[in-house]
Amino acid sequence: MRWSPLRLTTPVKQHVFGGRALADRLGRTGLPSGPVAETWEVSDVDGEVATVTEGPSAGRSLRELLAADPAGLLGDRPHGPRFPLLTKFIDGTRALPVHLHADDATARRLEGEPNGKTEAWHVLDAVPGATALVGVRPGTDRERLRRALLAQDFDAVMRRLPVRAGQTVYVPGGTLHSFGPGTLVYEIEQTSDIQQHAMPWRMEDGAPLGERERAANIERLLAEWRPEPRPEFQPGLSVPVADSVVRTVLCAGPYFALERWTAGRSARIARTFATVQVLSNAGAPVTVTSGDWTGRLDRARTLLLPAALGEVRVAGPADVLFGYVPDLEADIRAPLTAAGHGPAALAALGEGLWPGTREGGAALLPEEPAGPVSAIAPRRAGDPGAGGDRRARTRQQEVRHPQGAAAQGGRALRGLRPGRERRRRRDPAAGPGVAEPGSEDGARPWPEGRTPGERLRTARTRLGLPGRPGRPRCVPGPEVRRRRGDSSVARTTMRRRQ
């Protein structure tokens, strides 16, 4: 086939949670009036298969092109009968329904579908105070979740995370989730439209559901729910490419990777590739060149670059997204490791990125056998077992601060051993932000400018250990008292007060 960059039709979804942010904040043109929730930039979902709008392949569907020349379109990546990626711009002017998508095994078992739907959200814009619900709290069982969903008491069982522009979260299939209001995201995911939601209304038009239908929906959701994934938002890992050109890997896993590339006014992005690329523009209009094709890509618009093209150039200033199916070693691990990013930082990007890591980026310590993921989830105040064990606190620190953990070469930040009254010693490599055991966020720094004794007394007070703050823990022995002229009754030398 004669390949060139492909412009595709983009189905528009006017669900009730949408607004006008795609037009008003991103400058997307050609949208219908009224709320717009989603534009499907590249889709091979049944009933919503994209069609080429111009060029030699105009009028042909994406599925037809895949069947005609799979190597020319996808390169050497394994594939099924459908194009593997679905990408969207999503306007969460209002909160999305609390829902989930099945993973691969569950989709085949319960939905009769060839694959599930793991996804990732890259936040393009968010109002101050915006949040997302991502995964459930540790200790949440099926019955507790059922009661909370029926009562719509989502915060009783789900993790509410702050949302900031520029961050990304990788959401494995089976993870209960929602985001909004006031959030605009770019989403990349497996090609699928299966979902189960827990709301008392229809997502499409807001019409109320009957109690029986709603209860049945929740039971189907529970059958596809996975309790263990607890993803975290993270800023991605950057690799300088050239003067004024930066590549940031936002997320990666076996199904997809997403990168954001920026270039200054006089710079140019030059990218080579061996597999199909979904190029979406998050910034001002740019000029794109691939082979003998040159064209303009407006903001919030997308081009599909077949693997046969092999290279693309984008003139700066530019702020663009590349989505693709990665070779995790060649495309992700090798360049990021060469740039100085450690295993914990890579693991936080998604799944399958480092031996001994879990989905969503949670890292296992080398000596620990694999077990229930809930055992290593970040601990929060009020959660069952919030005290945790030392290894769980170490993994929490690695997941929440992956680059700091990697800089320490994987060393565990030591905490208090259970039953011991002893303070954490400062790790010189860790800098001023050494985590304090027992703090809610797991990373509260010790106050600077205090003596070791004062820090020790402060720690005892925070942890609720015996003894009153402000009084010494040690008392002088008889030799010291004699030198001071102390005539009090002799005591044993320098013993600890219990």
Side-chain angles (χ1 to χ4, degrees), residues 246-265:
V246 176
R247 168 195 180 191
T248 303
V249 180
L250 302 174
C251 67
Y255 306 113
F256 54 77
L258 184 64
E259 302 182 7
R260 191 165 184 170
W261 289 57
T262 57
R265 182 172 299 277

Side-chain angles (χ1 to χ4, degrees), residues 97-102 119 121 132-137 140-141 144-146 148-149 153-155 157-161 171-179 196-199 217-218 220-222 224-231:
V98 172
H99 66 289
L100 60 74
H101 313 285
E119 63 187 35
W121 322 325
L133 294 167
V134 192
V136 299
R137 297 185 180 189
T140 300
D141 59 20
R144 183 183 178 195
L145 180 58
R146 178 186 287 107
L149 295 180
D153 188 7
F154 305 123
D155 283 283
V157 292
M158 296 186 69
R159 302 162 63 244
R160 186 173 291 277
L161 307 179
V171 184
T175 306
L176 197 61
H177 61 272
S178 171
F179 62 81
Q196 303 295 342
H197 75 82
M199 310 308 291
N217 288 347
I218 290 176
R220 284 192 292 269
L221 179 152
L222 292 170
E224 299 183 6
W225 167 60
R226 292 177 57 202
E228 61 272 13
R230 294 185 180 89

Side-chain angles (χ1 to χ4, degrees), residues 49-71:
V49 178
T51 301
V52 181
T53 61
E54 63 180 47
S57 300
R60 302 185 71 177
S61 73
L62 186 56
R63 194 170 298 180
E64 288 179 274
L65 296 178
L66 177 60
D69 188 1

Side-chain angles (χ1 to χ4, degrees), residues 157-416:
V157 292
M158 296 186 69
R159 302 162 63 244
R160 186 173 291 277
L161 307 179
V163 173
R164 298 180 182 88
Q167 293 191 322
T168 308
V169 63
Y170 183 97
V171 184
T175 306
L176 197 61
H177 61 272
S178 171
F179 62 81
T183 307
L184 184 60
V185 311
Y186 183 85
E187 185 174 80
I188 185 169
E189 57 205 321
Q190 293 175 270
T191 294
S192 172
D193 198 32
I194 57 174
Q195 70 169 321
Q196 303 295 342
H197 75 82
M199 310 308 291
W201 39 265
R202 297 186 191 280
M203 182 174 65
E204 294 77 10
D205 57 8
L209 297 177
E211 288 300 318
R212 181 174 298 179
E213 182 179 1
R214 183 182 170 219
N217 288 347
I218 290 176
E219 291 306 314
R220 284 192 292 269
L221 179 152
L222 292 170
E224 299 183 6
W225 167 60
R226 292 177 57 202
E228 61 272 13
R230 294 185 180 89
E232 297 284 343
F233 283 91
Q234 44 81 30
L237 302 178
S238 294
V239 179
V241 176
D243 289 344
S244 301
V245 178
V246 176
R247 168 195 180 191
T248 303
V249 180
L250 302 174
C251 67
Y255 306 113
F256 54 77
L258 184 64
E259 302 182 7
R260 191 165 184 170
W261 289 57
T262 57
R265 182 172 299 277
S266 60
R268 183 182 67 176
I269 293 171
R271 178 170 169 82
T272 59
F273 48 86
T275 186
V276 66
Q277 305 284 302
V278 179
L279 170 60
S280 295
N281 190 6
V286 294
T287 299
V288 178
T289 302
S290 185
D292 58 1
W293 185 96
T294 297
R296 173 186 167 104
L297 183 60
D298 288 330
R299 193 177 188 194
R301 290 288 186 174
T302 297
L303 285 173
L304 189 65
L305 307 176
L309 296 175
E311 55 84 28
V312 65
R313 298 181 300 280
V314 183
D319 183 359
V320 296
L321 299 162
F322 287 98
Y324 60 101
V325 178
D327 177 320
L328 288 178
E329 178 59 37
D331 298 328
I332 306 297
R333 276 194 293 263
L336 290 181
T337 301
H341 300 292
L346 267 69
L349 291 175
E351 60 182 316
L353 288 163
W354 208 266
T357 59
R358 300 188 189 277
E359 291 176 344
L364 295 176
L365 292 184
E367 72 275 13
E368 183 191 14
V373 181
S374 58
I376 67 167
R379 305 286 182 160
R380 298 178 183 273
D383 283 347
D389 58 24
R390 180 163 55 88
R391 288 183 300 185
R393 287 196 297 270
T394 299
R395 288 191 301 276
Q396 176 180 347
Q397 181 73 10
E398 289 182 354
V399 172
R400 293 195 177 196
H401 308 280
Q403 294 177 346
Q408 297 171 47
R411 289 192 298 273
L413 299 178
R414 297 183 180 276
L416 293 179

Side-chain angles (χ1 to χ4, degrees), residues 456-458 460-461 465-473 497-498:
L456 180 59
R457 290 193 293 275
T458 300
R460 290 173 56 82
T461 301
L465 298 176
R468 286 178 288 175
R471 298 186 64 181
R473 295 181 65 212
R497 174 173 293 151
Q498 300 300 317

